[in-house]
Amino acid sequence: MTFLWRTILNFTVVVTLATTINSCSNIPKGVLNEKKMQAVMTDMQLAEEMATLDQTTFRSNEAKTALYQSVFRKHNVTEAEYDSSIVWYGKNLERYMQIYKAASDDIQQRILALGDVPPESVSESNSDSLDIWLFRRYYDFEPVALTNLVAFDVKPAVAYSSGSAFVFALEISGLPNQIPVPVNVHISTVSDDSTFTAMRDITENGYYEITLKTNVLKKTQRVYGYIRLDAGFRNYHKIYIDKVSMIKYRYGSPAIAAME
């Protein structure tokens, strides 16, 4: 683990979180409001990153569970409350994405506050293709995990050129045989007042590409989506998501022509 990540992770575990969004109405009883949910989710993201980076300390499920329980104690919530909240927000994905982005922004600001670390850029380039995936390339879903959902939200500094096409790719392994629709992949783009969406339900191991084309007359301001394991699916050991990428292709490029 790098010194920077060790510093930010250890620092965050003991410091009270600042929140950036207000709680909203119409949230059922037993579900954390958005302000509380963002605070817990920020620490959960850091805890999961800590467990991933320090696999010696957090090799066992017991060690991971103890780490997650420390987050619950810090925020005075129970695991049941957090699980119920994840399920509810998972059915209200627009709210979930807002909370997820606020938590990610909070983490990024803390990293920047520790030193001169330049933010990553996802701006347009002159090449026919550009990998705009700035996140981890590997994830695993397991029964002991509190969230088996990978959400992403990419907003370029300058809108992507009109007619861009996006190819989201991933490799899945560990899926048991004869399991109906355990992994859902969703990708959407926002172009002015239009939204384009591609979805796929994956039931077999292998390498997959999900292609999403946009309007040739409109630029793309945002690309967002998620990879999600069916919340009701628990009969498995571990599912691996690897080789994640999201390639943006310019309109008129040979790759887009080949998609026709």
Side-chain angles (χ1 to χ4, degrees):
M1 185 187 303
T2 65
F3 173 77
L4 174 61
W5 263 110
R6 186 180 298 276
T7 302
I8 183 63
L9 291 172
N10 292 340
F11 175 78
T12 305
V13 168
V14 298
V15 175
T16 302
L17 293 172
T19 55
T20 60
I21 56 178
N22 296 322
S23 60
C24 294
S25 57
N26 303 322
I27 296 178
K29 184 178 180 180
V31 173
L32 303 178
N33 63 44
E34 293 185 5
K35 180 178 179 180
K36 187 78 168 181
M37 189 65 181
Q38 187 232 321
V40 179
M41 187 176 289
T42 299
D43 267 0
M44 286 306 305
Q45 286 188 39
L46 289 166
E48 290 177 351
E49 191 69 24
M50 181 186 292
T52 299
L53 293 174
D54 191 356
Q55 296 187 11
T56 300
T57 302
F58 301 102
R59 179 181 303 172
S60 67
N61 290 337
E62 290 78 9
K64 293 179 183 177
T65 299
L67 176 63
Y68 299 146
Q69 290 297 328
S70 70
V71 175
F72 297 144
R73 288 194 300 272
K74 172 181 176 180
H75 295 282
N76 194 29
V77 300
T78 66
E79 183 175 352
E81 288 175 321
Y82 185 70
D83 285 345
S84 298
S85 301
I86 284 292
V87 171
W88 187 84
Y89 282 107
K91 296 177 181 177
N92 296 269
L93 281 173
E94 193 63 32
R95 284 187 172 184
Y96 180 93
M97 294 299 294
Q98 292 173 357
I99 295 172
Y100 183 91
K101 184 178 186 305
S104 298
D105 289 346
D106 187 16
I107 293 171
Q108 183 64 23
Q109 289 302 315
R110 295 178 191 203
I111 294 174
L112 292 174
L114 291 179
D116 188 16
V117 183
E120 296 186 87
S121 173
V122 291
S123 298
E124 182 73 276
S125 75
N126 293 322
S127 61
D128 283 341
S129 64
L130 174 68
D131 189 352
I132 64 172
W133 186 259
L134 298 178
F135 315 102
R136 290 165 52 192
R137 304 284 179 175
Y138 169 84
Y139 301 87
D140 56 53
F141 293 161
E142 50 186 325
V144 297
L146 294 171
T147 58
N148 280 321
L149 185 149
V150 178
F152 58 89
D153 195 345
V154 178
K155 293 182 179 179
V158 178
Y160 296 130
S161 55
S162 301
S164 294
F166 300 86
V167 178
F168 184 74
L170 73 167
E171 184 175 81
I172 298 180
S173 60
L175 284 173
N177 295 327
Q178 300 178 339
I179 298 299
V181 195
V183 178
N184 315 117
V185 180
H186 174 116
I187 175 174
S188 292
T189 62
V190 176
S191 302
D192 296 330
D193 58 349
S194 301
T195 300
F196 302 88
T197 298
M199 295 181 291
R200 185 163 186 175
D201 296 326
I202 299 175
T203 60
E204 297 180 353
N205 297 312
Y207 178 80
Y208 295 88
E209 293 184 348
I210 297 91
T211 300
L212 178 59
K213 297 180 181 180
T214 61
N215 192 311
V216 297
L217 301 177
K218 296 183 177 182
K219 295 183 177 182
T220 298
Q221 287 88 25
R222 178 188 177 198
V223 185
Y224 68 95
Y226 60 84
I227 310 167
R228 178 174 61 180
L229 183 68
D230 190 324
F233 176 58
R234 289 291 182 270
N235 186 25
Y236 67 98
H237 172 61
K238 185 178 287 190
I239 295 172
Y240 303 92
I241 311 296
D242 198 6
K243 300 178 182 177
V244 182
S245 67
M246 184 158 55
I247 309 298
K248 181 204 73 67
Y249 292 97
R250 278 183 174 273
Y251 179 72
S253 68
I256 290 186
M259 298 174 191
E260 300 293 343

